[in-house]
């Protein structure tokens, strides 16, 4: 069986020079925080980055200057997926 692990998730805002990245450890990672601080966005980020439709499209209509990234390990091979906020953009895979 293939072992798949999310190494990190990130969202970058170029215009405001803001960014957020979270690194995940092996095993179970528990995300706890107050309301309206980004837990749901964090959960949707991998799906959006890989090309799925999520509520992050609402953010992309408001902001035109951000990129999402996810790093995955599959059997110890590392892959990076990037997506600019363009809805028609096909995610880029770098390995």
């Amino acid at each position: 069986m293939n072992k798949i692990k999310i190494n990190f998730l990130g969202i970058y805002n170029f215009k405001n020079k803001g960014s957020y990245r979270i690194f995940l450890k092996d095993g179970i990672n528990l995300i706890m925080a107050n309301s309206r601080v980004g837990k749901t966005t964090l959960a949707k980020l991998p799906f959006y980055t890989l090309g799925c439709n999520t509520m992050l499209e609402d953010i992309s209509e408001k902001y035109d200057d951000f990129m999402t990234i996810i790093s995955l390990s599959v059997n110890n091979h590392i892959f990076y997926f990037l997506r600019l906020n363009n809805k028609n953009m096909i995610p880029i895979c770098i390995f």
Side-chain angles (χ1 to χ4, degrees):
M1 178 183 270
N2 293 330
K3 180 183 176 184
I4 300 173
K5 178 187 179 286
I6 298 175
N7 300 311
F8 72 84
L9 304 167
I11 186 164
Y12 301 90
N13 182 311
F14 302 115
K15 185 182 276 184
N16 297 327
K17 298 181 182 175
S19 66
Y20 180 78
R21 190 176 348 170
I22 183 168
F23 290 88
L24 302 173
K25 298 180 180 179
D26 285 339
I28 296 172
N29 290 265
L30 184 61
I31 308 296
M32 297 187 326
N34 293 328
S35 296
R36 306 201 45 83
V37 295
K39 297 180 302 293
T40 302
T41 300
L42 184 64
K44 292 178 179 181
L45 194 62
F47 298 103
Y48 176 80
T49 305
L50 295 173
C52 296
N53 291 328
T54 67
M55 294 299 280
L56 288 179
E57 277 79 14
D58 295 343
I59 296 172
S60 71
E61 290 175 4
K62 185 175 179 182
Y63 302 103
D64 60 354
D65 58 355
F66 76 92
M67 176 187 75
T68 60
I69 183 170
I70 181 173
S71 170
L72 298 174
S73 294
V74 180
N75 294 332
N76 295 321
H77 292 75
I78 299 175
F79 299 88
Y80 298 93
F81 294 88
L82 311 168
R83 182 175 176 182
L84 297 174
N85 65 336
N86 186 337
K87 291 182 190 178
N88 298 319
M89 174 79 175
I90 296 172
I92 301 168
C93 177
I94 304 168
F95 51 95

